[in-house]
């Protein structure tokens, strides 16, 4: 679970040697801790639209140092590039070149965030070209940024305005250390729903959250992060993992539920436990998942069906039970863990990629059902995350997989957990049916 | 333009050495030539739906050797996996494991093609999961296939039936050597429009096609391929490329039009030339494009604006002129050349990726306008293609770029040209607003 190479090339002699040899020097990412400033320096808001004015005013109200024009040679914490009114590809040049002029002033782990609108079939061809141009631009720029800086985009869908709660929440997420390993990605805000928290450091206060596969690894970290953000936790895992599960439950002052999630009545049992022990259920995190890798030529019934049953069929059945219940909500949140393997496929993982592709299809198709209940469903798609599981990958293969992303390193379970905590919050109520990759802009071949 | 490494490891001593050392051994791909058999052996059609029956009957009528169940140890030309009725992830297992049992029997440059339906917001969650599961499955499988075999999928959108002209045309394309470098991709057929050609070897007979940037490289090859398929060609390029342009025009018995496509009246001039010299205009291929690579921190007005003007703004203006004309059609086709850089971004190419992202946004938004005129607009997105341009990339970087795809080699201009010829044909009338990657399943990080 430690990236010894990254440690080596970031200190003392190793740092000098790596630099001289031109070896990758993955930056130490700035990760969120309570009390940490949102950004590391002044924020420049570029763009001459009403949305840019609104966002700049909002950032001022967050006590940030806000500039509408860059001051030469001042170390910046972030550049926000507001492109919501581009109607023709030629409109991109002015704001883009303004941003270009400030790139060298970005400090370590700085942020570039674009705010624009998604291109669609009903746009004029010129507007669609300009909007989709932002996509190619931002993904290229994210590959150029160095020293732990990232680039991500917020897409205002339909009539959503820049000052909508989920736009502000997404902006805060992308600026903060919570999004350390999210890079080169776009997140669509499709409604003005959602409400900002009273306490930004405890956005999940008063919520009851269930996490499956919580005994270890990413699941255990999700529990810790949701607890830190104020939630009361129900930790679910197999009876065989009982000791680990109890330890996690103790650490986060939650309750443990030993349960095989593939049982017919798993959803009912989760509901019963949450309501009986904690009086409610607000957040369902589908984290439990397994791999049974094998080339398809050698695939068998056991490997295929166990992966499909646990990784997707169980989620479908549990969601159905939750959505039929009056105890789920009033603003329910479902967050599923997908995978970049489900987006791009992966050699040896036809079963796993089918199940994780399935999760993403399920999330999109379930979004209108959850919206009808006043809630949202979204997925995160982790790339290479440093866990006990990836620790077992042979060294050379692991090294390649670790570095094949714009941040030249694997992510941490906390990076996945932070993204889930964000999507589970009330403030993310305008984000529904989306998949957000947590992968350092992994070169996965989608 | 030659891949000397691939030549070396595919013959004599080099072949043995590469095998012993475990070096990549990119296969020699089977590329289309007139008169060539469609596939290299029997075709197994798996799946127990009405669509599977229809497709099997259709393939029989093409004089192929068709099996509904694999015969052990018979070398196969293709497996067609019909999954159009999967309604739950559990439905995938039976056909998938049937395919698994035949994978070892696939001959060199064999094909796997899935036929399924796209997942959407209005599906049941279980159906959406099953459908999106096909996506993760197929992309994984494509990464497992070896010896030049590829895997691609056809998506039947809305009410489109398996026997629709464009489904059959897409199936023929994916089975044939025309799609040699298309791998891990899905193509959506969204309407029953389109008509199959009288002569499958001259599907563009009687058509007049314009190709921009036709003096060299991919553009010249597009001209040759469209000519081979029966089209009459108008070749467009800058006056400075006049000699090369004239040579290509002579070779394909077409006419040359020296024109700067960024002129205000470029569309009118193209129309005038085509109508005056050839009496009509059916097919517009937007191939002309430039790169002016530079990190964004060093980007300037000249580099940014020239790329945007030539690569996207010119296409917008020309399309507007064509769609306003009564001489474009009656079943007009527009095909644009995009790029995997526009999908995933590329370091040093913020301008190019913005322009190529723009092309894809434009194509989607123009599709309803072209449909109203009885036609289609689509894009191809090439990955690493062996041209004079890529020949100038430094050796080590070029080697990495060449191998970072499932076929472990760069594509050829002919691969891009074949895909354009297919999308330009009458048979592809049910395919509109799509982007098809020609990239060997390039690891681009989208």
């Amino acid at each position: 679970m430690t990236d010894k190479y990254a440690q080596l090339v970031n200190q003392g002699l190793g740092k000098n040697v790596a630099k001289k040899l031109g070896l990758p020097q993955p930056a130490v990412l700035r990760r969120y801790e309570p009390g940490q400033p949102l950004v590391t320096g002044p924020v420049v808001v570029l763009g001459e639209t009403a949305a840019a004015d609104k966002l700049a005013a909002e950032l001022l109200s967050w006590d940030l140092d806000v500039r509408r024009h860059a001051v030469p040679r001042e170390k910046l914490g972030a550049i926000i590039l507001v492109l919501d009114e581009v109607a023709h590809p030629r409109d991109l040049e002015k704001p883009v070149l303004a941003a270009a002029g400030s790139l060298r002033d970005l400090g370590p782990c700085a942020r570039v965030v674009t705010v624009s609108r998604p291109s669609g079939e009903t746009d004029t061809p010129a507007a669609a070209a300009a909007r989709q141009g932002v996509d190619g631009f931002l993904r290229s720029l994210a590959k150029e940024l160095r020293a732990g800086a990232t680039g991500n985009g917020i897409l205002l869908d339909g009539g959503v305005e820049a000052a909508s709660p989920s736009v502000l929440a997404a902006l805060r997420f992308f600026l903060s250390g919570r999004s350390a390993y999210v890079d080169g990605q776009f997140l669509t805000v499709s409604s003005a729903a959602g409400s900002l928290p009273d306490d930004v450091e405890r956005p999940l206060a008063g919520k009851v959250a269930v996490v499956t596969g919580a005994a270890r690894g990413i699941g255990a970290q999700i529990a810790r992060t949701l607890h830190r953000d104020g939630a009361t936790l129900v930790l679910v895992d197999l009876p065989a993992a009982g000791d680990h599960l109890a330890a996690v439950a103790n650490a986060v002052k939650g309750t443990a539920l030993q349960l095989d999630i593939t049982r017919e009545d798993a959803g009912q049992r989760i509901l019963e436990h949450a309501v009986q022990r904690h009086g409610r259920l607000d957040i369902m995190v589908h984290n439990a998942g397994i791999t049974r890798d094998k080339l398809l030529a050698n695939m068998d019934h056991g490997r295929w069906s166990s992966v499909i049953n646990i990784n997707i069929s169980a989620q479908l059945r549990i969601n159905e039970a939750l959505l039929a219940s009056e105890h789920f909500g009033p603003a329910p949140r479902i967050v599923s863990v997908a995978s970049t393997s489900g987006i791009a496929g992966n050699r040896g993982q036809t079963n796993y990629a089918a199940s994780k592709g399935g999760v993403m299809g399920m999330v999109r198709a379930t979004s209108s059902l959850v919206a009808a209940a006043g809630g949202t469903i979204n997925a995160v798609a982790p790339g290479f995350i440093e866990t006990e599981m990836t620790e077992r990958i042979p060294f050379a293969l692991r090294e390649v997989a670790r570095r094949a992303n714009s941040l030249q390193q694997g992510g941490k379970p906390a990076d996945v957990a932070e993204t889930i905590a964000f999507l589970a919050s009330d403030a993310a109520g305008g984000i529904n049916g989306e998949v957000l990759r947590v992968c350092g802009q992994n070169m996965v071949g989608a």
Side-chain angles (χ1 to χ4, degrees), chain A:
Chain A
M1 277 178 284
T2 57
D3 183 345
K4 285 178 190 144
Y5 172 87
Q7 289 172 355
L8 183 73
V9 297
N10 271 299
Q11 55 196 17
L13 185 64
K15 189 171 180 175
N16 291 329
V17 172
K19 200 165 186 178
K20 279 198 180 135
L21 293 176
L23 295 177
Q25 287 181 282
V28 177
L29 302 184
R30 174 176 180 265
R31 289 186 164 91
Y32 174 72
E33 285 171 24
Q36 185 183 68
L38 187 62
V39 285
T40 55
V43 178
V44 182
V45 180
L46 298 171
E48 294 172 359
T49 70
D53 293 339
K54 268 191 201 165
L55 287 175
E58 185 68 32
L59 293 172
L60 273 174
S61 79
W62 296 355
D63 280 338
L64 299 179
D65 239 352
V66 180
R67 311 268 181 274
R68 291 308 306 273
H69 297 281
V71 180
R73 274 177 290 279
E74 177 183 57
K75 273 292 167 214
L76 297 174
I79 298 172
I80 298 173
L81 197 50
V82 185
L83 302 165
D84 62 314
E85 292 188 12
V86 293
H88 190 285
R90 77 171 84 88
D91 300 339
L92 295 169
E93 180 174 348
K94 196 176 164 191
V96 157
L97 291 187
S102 290
L103 286 181
R104 283 210 190 74
D105 296 324
L106 287 176
C109 299
R111 298 285 186 257
V112 177
V113 182
T114 60
V115 178
S116 61
R117 295 193 180 274
S119 83
E121 286 179 31
T122 57
D123 295 334
T124 65
R131 292 169 175 191
Q132 192 73 25
V134 176
D135 192 291
F137 163 76
L138 188 274
R139 291 183 201 266
S140 298
L141 175 56
K143 291 181 176 178
E144 297 181 6
L145 296 174
R146 288 294 175 256
T150 63
N152 293 288
I154 299 171
L155 297 175
L156 314 179
D157 200 6
V160 169
E161 291 192 23
S164 301
S166 290
V167 176
L168 300 179
L171 185 55
R172 180 178 280 275
F173 174 72
F174 283 138
L175 290 176
S176 76
R178 288 181 187 261
S179 67
Y181 200 60
V182 180
D183 196 11
Q185 304 306 309
F186 285 85
L187 185 59
T188 300
V189 178
S190 53
S191 91
S195 55
L196 296 173
D198 297 326
D199 179 352
V200 292
E201 300 210 340
R202 289 178 61 80
L204 302 180
K207 303 289 183 184
V208 174
V210 174
V211 181
T212 63
R216 283 194 188 81
I218 293 176
Q221 182 59 50
I222 294 168
R224 286 191 288 269
T225 300
L226 297 186
H227 169 66
R228 182 204 64 197
D229 279 0
T232 300
L233 270 296
V234 175
L235 294 314
V236 177
D237 215 313
L238 288 172
D243 290 349
H244 281 99
L245 189 66
V248 177
N250 274 339
V252 303
K253 302 185 182 64
T255 56
L257 171 60
Q258 296 185 4
L259 175 71
D260 176 350
I261 57 163
T262 64
R263 284 178 63 124
E264 281 292 331
D265 62 350
Q268 285 78 7
R269 286 181 167 238
I270 286 169
L271 271 165
E272 275 168 30
H273 177 101
V275 172
Q276 281 174 12
R277 301 291 292 272
H278 308 287
R280 57 191 293 162
L281 173 54
D282 303 283
I283 297 165
M284 179 73 218
V285 181
H286 291 294
N287 165 73
I290 61 166
T291 56
R292 292 289 179 274
D293 294 1
K294 210 67 162 168
L295 292 179
L296 184 63
N298 304 321
M299 188 64 69
D300 55 37
H301 163 72
R303 285 194 177 84
W304 182 273
S305 65
S306 59
V307 168
I308 297 290
N309 285 344
I310 294 167
N311 294 8
I312 174 64
S313 298
Q315 295 191 20
L316 285 165
R317 208 180 294 114
I318 291 169
N319 287 347
E320 208 173 330
L322 297 188
L323 291 172
S325 162
E326 57 188 14
H327 295 295
F328 188 41
R333 295 280 182 272
I334 304 175
V335 187
S336 283
V337 178
S339 165
T340 53
S341 287
I343 297 172
N346 197 14
R347 192 171 146 78
Q349 297 199 314
T350 50
N351 50 356
Y352 185 74
S355 75
K356 293 299 190 178
V359 166
M360 294 183 285
M362 176 274 284
V363 160
R364 201 163 39 239
T366 309
S367 62
S368 60
L369 305 176
V370 190
T376 67
I377 179 170
N378 293 285
V380 299
F384 185 94
I385 304 295
E386 307 277 354
T387 62
E388 284 173 26
M389 200 167 81
T390 55
E391 191 81 342
R392 288 195 295 266
I393 299 173
F395 174 77
L397 200 62
R398 190 172 70 227
E399 269 305 295
V400 170
R402 257 181 185 156
R403 310 288 166 227
N405 61 68
S406 295
L407 297 171
Q408 302 183 315
Q409 60 192 291
K412 296 192 174 181
D415 298 322
V416 180
E418 296 286 6
T419 305
I420 290 172
F422 161 60
L423 293 169
S425 69
D426 277 343
I431 298 163
N432 194 12
E434 299 296 312
V435 178
L436 185 53
R437 285 171 49 177
V438 183
C439 69
Q441 200 174 28
N442 196 356
M443 308 279 283
V444 289

